[in-house]
Structures are given as structure tokens and as C-alpha cells.
Amino acid sequence: AQSVTQLDSQVPVFEEAPVELRCNYSSSVSVYLFWYVQYPNQGLQLLLKYLSGSTLVKGINGFEAEFNKSQTSFHLRKPSVHISDTAEYFCALRGSASKIIFGSGTRLSIRP
Amino acid sequence: DGGITQSPKYLFRKEGQNVTLSCEQNLNHDAMYWYRQDPGQGLRLIYYSQIVNDFQKGDIAEGYSVSREKKESFPLTVTSAQKNPTAFYLCACQGGDRVHNEQFFGPGTRLTVL
């Protein structure tokens, strides 16, 4: 069975501080990994995705994520956050089926 | 402007009533999906359709029904059999390579049962 675990339900950080949102996955087959962002009362928007190749993936809004196969992790990072980054972030994976499995989400709150 | 839309944005329903949520896309994508979102639980798949006139149950299909008569449209009906329908509902679509490509999401419909 495949699963995605987001280890933190909420992450508070100060503006301009770095942030890391953690994501671990479980799968017996090769996976494709995604990070989505959801602003309040809106749909999800893709931040970045890992399909193959370089393990460091850069996305929109200054975010990046690193795929670590040995640790089965795909953590999302940003070196300096802004108030506008306040949102909920979802890690997701797709295995061989067409369905995507989502984590439970991490709510990022930015303090001025 | 290509995209995926959902209507209405807010919907109120009395207990015992069926309601239909609309989802339309003009991205020419074959696959469409319905998710339910509850606080702290992430997204759960209700139904999905990979091609017109065909759809499959997701993880929480009980109390819901769908149709896919047109490529552009994938309406979701929340029936009176759904015990706890109050939630945020998201529709998504996906085109091309379904393994490598991401899903595109609509803005969502918030359903409240009174």
C-alpha cells in the first residue's frame, strides 16, 4: 500500500525566516511526488513535482524540495518566507495507478 | 482562458435533499476527479472518470453519484444517503500523461447541511 505522511499539522514561522515542511512516503514501487499549495477557500495549485532526474526540484514562489529515496522523504523548503506564503501545503504521490494520494496537509502561518 | 470552474461557491442544503455540484473544464482533459476535504484530513477521492461515459468509485463513494456525458463536465450529486455531507468539495482534471502530469483544481464548493 502507498501512503503519504506530513509530520506537522501546523508550522508557525516568523517572516523572512527559513521554513521546512516535512513529507514522508511509503511505496513499494517507483513514485512521482508533488507539492500543492491551497490558499484559504481556494483550490489547490501545483508548487513543484519530482518525476526523475535531479533530486533537488525547484518550484514557484521560491520553494524547492529534495527527493531522498533512502529516507523516503520529499521535504519542502523556502529560505525566506513572506506573509503571502500563509496557506496550507499538501504533499502527494502517484504510483502506478492514475490516482494521487494526498497527505493530510500542513498549515503554514507567518508571523510578522 | 483555459481553466476549471465549479459552481456554486457556497451551497446550503436541508437534510434529506439531494444537491448537484457543477464542475466544468475547457482544458480538453480526459480525466476528471472529485475530492472531499475535511479539516485535518486532507483530500479524499470520491469518484473519478478517465474518459467520457465511464467513471470509477474512489475511496468514499457511498452517498454520492456522478455522470460523465460530456468531456467538459463532471457533475457530482450528493444524495440524502450521505450521512455527513458538510464539507469542501474540489473538482480536478488531468490531461495527457496521467502518470507524470499534475492535476488542475477548481476553486471548490463549500456545502453546508442545515
Side-chain angles (χ1 to χ4, degrees):
Chain A
Q2 298 174 314
S3 67
V4 177
T5 302
Q6 291 186 243
L7 298 162
D8 305 297
S9 59
Q10 295 189 58
V11 173
V13 296
F14 287 104
E15 194 173 15
E16 299 184 4
V19 69
E20 178 180 82
L21 306 184
R22 298 182 292 168
C23 173
N24 284 90
Y25 69 91
S26 173
S27 177
S28 58
V29 298
S30 296
V31 296
Y32 305 99
L33 294 159
F34 305 81
W35 274 100
Y36 285 85
V37 60
Q38 184 182 32
Y39 299 103
N41 291 311
Q42 295 185 26
L44 276 67
Q45 177 184 2
L46 182 72
L47 272 178
L48 48 80
K49 60 183 176 182
Y50 172 78
L51 304 179
S52 65
S54 173
T55 57
L56 184 63
V57 181
K58 293 191 183 297
I60 62 171
N61 301 340
F63 283 93
E64 63 181 30
E66 185 156 20
F67 173 64
N68 189 317
K69 189 175 182 179
S70 62
Q71 296 187 7
T72 60
S73 68
F74 189 53
H75 300 334
L76 181 71
R77 301 184 182 102
K78 186 170 182 178
S80 176
V81 296
H82 189 267
I83 291 284
S84 60
D85 293 321
T86 298
E88 190 155 19
Y89 293 80
F90 292 92
C91 182
L93 74 81
R94 171 181 286 117
S96 56
S98 61
K99 295 187 291 182
I100 290 182
I101 299 169
F102 287 88
S104 56
T106 297
R107 192 172 299 275
L108 177 63
S109 59
I110 313 295
R111 301 169 176 173
Chain B
D1 223 317
I4 176 169
T5 59
Q6 292 182 241
S7 62
K9 189 170 179 63
Y10 298 96
L11 185 58
F12 298 90
R13 187 194 93 172
K14 293 181 181 178
E15 282 195 30
Q17 287 182 336
N18 293 355
V19 288
T20 298
L21 282 58
S22 170
C23 178
E24 303 277 334
Q25 56 102 357
N26 61 4
L27 298 169
N28 200 35
H29 287 178
D30 285 318
M32 296 187 74
Y33 305 80
W34 272 106
Y35 294 93
R36 171 180 171 140
Q37 186 177 19
D38 297 282
Q41 294 195 45
L43 278 68
R44 293 183 289 169
L45 183 64
I46 305 173
Y47 268 98
Y48 65 103
S49 167
Q50 297 190 52
I51 197 167
V52 176
N53 292 323
D54 186 44
F55 49 83
Q56 288 80 40
K57 292 182 180 180
D59 302 315
I60 55 165
E62 186 175 350
Y64 299 98
S65 66
V66 294
S67 63
R68 187 81 188 279
E69 298 176 1
K70 300 187 299 182
K71 189 175 187 178
E72 305 80 25
S73 179
F74 191 41
L76 173 74
T77 296
V78 184
T79 75
S80 56
Q82 169 50 236
K83 299 303 180 191
N84 184 22
T86 295
F88 191 53
Y89 291 87
L90 287 162
C91 180
C93 63
Q94 183 182 24
D97 183 340
R98 287 175 205 152
V99 175
H100 298 104
N101 290 351
E102 68 269 24
Q103 293 183 2
F104 291 84
F105 284 81
T109 292
R110 188 167 298 279
L111 173 63
T112 302
V113 174
L114 303 173

